Amino acid sequence: MPAPMESDTTPEEHRQRALLLADLGRYDEAAEEIAAGLSAAPSATPDECALLATLARIHLAAEQPVEALAAAERAAATGPATVAPLVVRAMALTDSRRFGEAARVAGEILRTWPEDAYAQRTGAALLSESRNGQEALNAAWNGVRIAPTEAEAHLVLAVVAARLRLFDLAQRAYAEALELDATIGDAGQDVGIVRLERRRWARALEELAEEASLGVPPAQAPPEDRPEEPAVRPAPSNWSEPPAVSRPRKPVLDVSADSAGAVLQTIRYGANGTLVAAVLTAAMTLVSVGISRVWAGLIGVLVFAAVVLWFRSRPAEPVGMVLSRLRAGDRWLAAALYLTFAAPLFLVAYAAVGGLPTLIGGMVLAAVAELVVLLGRR
């Protein structure tokens, strides 16, 4: 009967089904298979890590970087000693425009696996996406040195060189990639996640080709030794055109708990920082009111900026979604968060107009925000 057969499906079988569905562009069904696999996989196991990394790839392919980053973060926490979770995490960070963190992850990949061809070429391409330079080029060359017969190594070298405007080197590297694997020319049209990196680098090179003399974009100029008809695509499909893509409509992972933790951290750090700054400002009035006001203006702006930037960088989902959920489900915590944002502005107001009541007002707001958090944890 169907029910017992379904219960006997292993997490890896769910993952393989997801890969096949993703190659057909059915990312929504692929995500559902991953959800079923996660429900059957024990926590903190290689199966869970593989499923989460695959889920992150599905969201990346579906152009959903927020969901991809949530899955990639959990995959990296579950299997920190493997390269696959770090790769998808770096890609998700880049697509989320968190370039500094993406560069750090790419650098970690390069340092941890210096003789792994996949790690070197992928780390080089990821580093060049977020912080291009000589380090990325050296890593790309190292990827070619380790695996000179792998077309993707030369493709990455072409992308990194093109981003550095070394167009002659990019042209030669791309020609070598095509010679080793003619299907590289169609990689940008691929659908699925098995060759997600190849498609990503090919599309990047096509974009770079539009602004530099690399010749006609790869998807439009097949080499002379290839037939004029479209080449066979790497995806397990005989379609001449990529299938229509259906993106996941609902999240597989519940990140609300992570977002709530980010809110609590923001309130604690912001409120405590404001209280400490206000106490120091009040103490400085004993020496000089003018100096204390200058100090208050400077530290108030710094604390406010730090709180805002911290809160924006911590949740694995859009800030607007977090705030909407708070206002609907926990108005006290939402009020505490807004008080945390407002408290350091009273330091700025003290710097502008003076008066201890203004300074005390900032301290009261910060203390109330901290009290709401403390009472809510009991």
Side-chain angles (χ1 to χ4, degrees), residues 225-250:
D225 58 343
R226 292 171 58 201
E228 293 297 325
E229 296 298 323
V232 177
R233 304 184 190 282
S237 171
N238 294 323
W239 296 356
S240 60
E241 293 294 333
V245 169
S246 55
R247 293 181 172 84
R249 294 181 296 273
K250 56 184 180 180

Side-chain angles (χ1 to χ4, degrees), residues 28-290:
D28 53 346
E29 296 178 60
E32 291 173 3
E33 281 292 338
I34 294 296
L38 288 172
S39 65
S43 300
T45 61
D47 280 339
E48 184 188 32
C49 179
L51 286 165
L52 289 168
T54 302
L55 178 62
R57 287 174 169 268
I58 291 169
H59 286 305
L60 284 170
E63 299 179 355
Q64 297 174 324
V66 173
E67 293 82 356
L69 182 57
E73 294 281 6
R74 294 196 184 185
T78 304
T82 58
V83 66
L86 294 179
V87 168
V88 293
R89 182 170 178 242
M91 287 193 285
L93 286 168
T94 300
D95 290 354
S96 300
R97 306 193 65 80
R98 293 164 61 172
F99 298 114
E101 296 174 73
R104 286 193 292 273
V105 175
E108 180 182 350
I109 292 171
L110 294 174
R111 291 188 300 271
T112 306
W113 294 278
E115 294 301 322
D116 184 287
Y118 171 75
Q120 287 297 295
R121 66 172 177 260
T122 307
L126 292 169
L127 185 60
S128 72
E129 283 186 331
S130 52
R131 190 185 64 208
N132 203 12
Q134 189 63 43
E135 183 182 0
L137 184 61
N138 291 344
W141 273 115
N142 192 36
V144 172
R145 177 190 64 82
I146 297 172
T149 60
E150 294 186 11
E152 284 190 38
H154 297 274
L155 176 62
V156 167
L157 178 58
V159 172
V160 175
R163 285 174 174 153
L164 289 171
R165 307 194 72 80
L166 302 173
F167 298 123
D168 289 340
L169 173 59
Q171 179 68 60
R172 293 196 301 271
Y174 182 65
E176 182 66 22
L178 282 175
E179 184 175 342
L180 289 169
D181 186 351
T183 62
I184 285 285
D186 293 325
Q189 310 299 321
D190 191 16
V191 174
I193 60 174
V194 174
R195 297 187 178 184
L196 178 62
E197 292 91 336
R198 173 185 284 209
R199 181 170 74 249
R200 190 181 182 96
W201 318 145
R203 289 181 177 177
L205 193 60
E206 289 178 14
E207 293 174 1
L208 292 165
E210 295 177 359
E211 60 185 66
S213 180
L214 290 179
V216 183
Q220 301 176 6
E224 294 180 359
D225 58 343
R226 292 171 58 201
E228 293 297 325
E229 296 298 323
V232 177
R233 304 184 190 282
S237 171
N238 294 323
W239 296 356
S240 60
E241 293 294 333
V245 169
S246 55
R247 293 181 172 84
R249 294 181 296 273
K250 56 184 180 180
V252 174
L253 302 178
D254 182 9
V255 297
S256 59
D258 296 337
S259 297
V263 171
L264 292 175
Q265 284 186 329
T266 300
I267 294 173
R268 284 197 295 267
Y269 294 159
N272 290 337
T274 301
L275 285 172
V276 171
V279 170
L280 290 177
T281 300
M284 292 176 69
T285 59
L286 301 176
V287 179
S288 170
V289 174

